């Protein structure tokens, strides 16, 4: 392992940040430590955050909070998602215990999707993020315009 690299930022057996790591690596962030989740590929927290944070999962969770939906209804509601991507997203959310898939034994088969109780708790968190985004969208748009203006004059 290279100097300045940590196995896990909170793991006591990792190496201490070296001088090349920069001041941010030597700061005490307390409870707001941005390095609290290991960035290794095999880190469960990282994998879960990657899953629930992708745009398709967010949209599926938001739609299923309103009602139980069939695959075709979800696909119709989510603009731009391919059949394959929706299938993959639903399978991953089902595997993580966030979505329940129900197959009704009729011809043709009817498959419905709904949020599990755990998935509903996640929607509450996602909703808070959406509310924050709505409240700050004008400020973000202004910041983007200012950034773009500075970037254009720097060229």
């Amino acid at each position: 392992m290279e100097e300045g690299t940590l196995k896990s930022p909170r793991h006591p057996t990792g190496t201490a940040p070296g001088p090349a790591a920069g001041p941010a690596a030597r700061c005490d962030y307390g409870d707001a430590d941005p390095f609290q989740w290991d960035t290794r590929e095999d880190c469960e927290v990282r994998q879960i955050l990657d899953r629930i944070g992708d745009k398709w999962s967010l949209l599926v969770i938001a739609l299923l909070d309103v009602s139980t939906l069939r695959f075709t209804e979800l696909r119709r509601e989510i603009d731009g998602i391919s059949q394959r991507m929706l299938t993959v997203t639903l399978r991953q959310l089902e595997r993580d215990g966030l979505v329940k898939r129900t197959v009704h034994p009729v011809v043709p088969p009817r498959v419905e999707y709904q949020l599990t109780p755990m998935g509903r708790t996640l929607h509450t968190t996602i909703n808070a993020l959406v509310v924050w985004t709505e409240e700050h969208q004008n400020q973000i748009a202004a910041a983007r315009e200012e950034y773009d203006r500075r970037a254009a004059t720097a060229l």
Side-chain angles (χ1 to χ4, degrees):
M1 187 178 309
E2 293 180 37
E3 179 187 346
T5 327
L6 300 174
K7 287 184 182 177
S8 175
R10 294 220 185 250
H11 196 276
T13 61
T15 60
R26 294 185 293 274
C27 290
D28 178 14
Y29 295 98
D31 290 340
D33 185 355
F35 303 106
Q36 64 186 319
W37 299 296
D38 198 339
T39 57
R40 294 174 300 164
E41 288 292 319
D42 62 344
C43 177
E44 287 293 322
V45 173
R46 170 74 183 272
Q47 291 175 8
I48 294 166
L49 287 172
D50 286 347
R51 168 84 31 76
I52 61 176
D54 78 66
K55 69 178 179 178
W56 302 125
S57 294
L58 289 172
L59 290 169
V60 167
I61 291 166
L63 286 168
L64 292 178
D65 187 62
V66 176
S67 67
T68 299
L69 295 171
R70 295 174 68 176
F71 183 92
T72 53
E73 293 169 321
L74 282 166
R75 184 150 182 232
R76 195 176 318 122
E77 291 294 322
I78 303 174
D79 188 38
I81 194 167
S82 67
Q83 181 173 337
R84 182 185 185 299
M85 183 52 66
L86 180 56
T87 300
V88 168
T89 300
L90 286 166
R91 283 184 186 157
Q92 290 172 339
L93 292 172
E94 182 183 9
R95 181 173 183 253
D96 289 343
L98 302 172
V99 168
K100 179 183 176 194
R101 179 179 186 261
T102 304
V103 179
H104 298 278
V106 294
V107 178
R110 191 176 88 225
V111 180
E112 294 179 330
Y113 297 90
Q114 67 187 70
L115 287 182
T116 63
M118 184 170 56
R120 289 202 184 283
T121 64
L122 178 60
H123 183 266
T124 303
T125 303
I126 291 169
N127 192 50
L129 181 60
V130 170
V131 168
W132 179 90
T133 304
E134 289 170 344
E135 290 174 355
H136 294 89
Q137 65 184 341
N138 293 336
Q139 292 170 281
I140 292 169
R144 287 176 177 173
E145 288 175 15
E146 176 60 27
Y147 178 89
D148 292 346
R149 211 174 5 263
R150 284 192 322 264
T153 59
L155 297 176

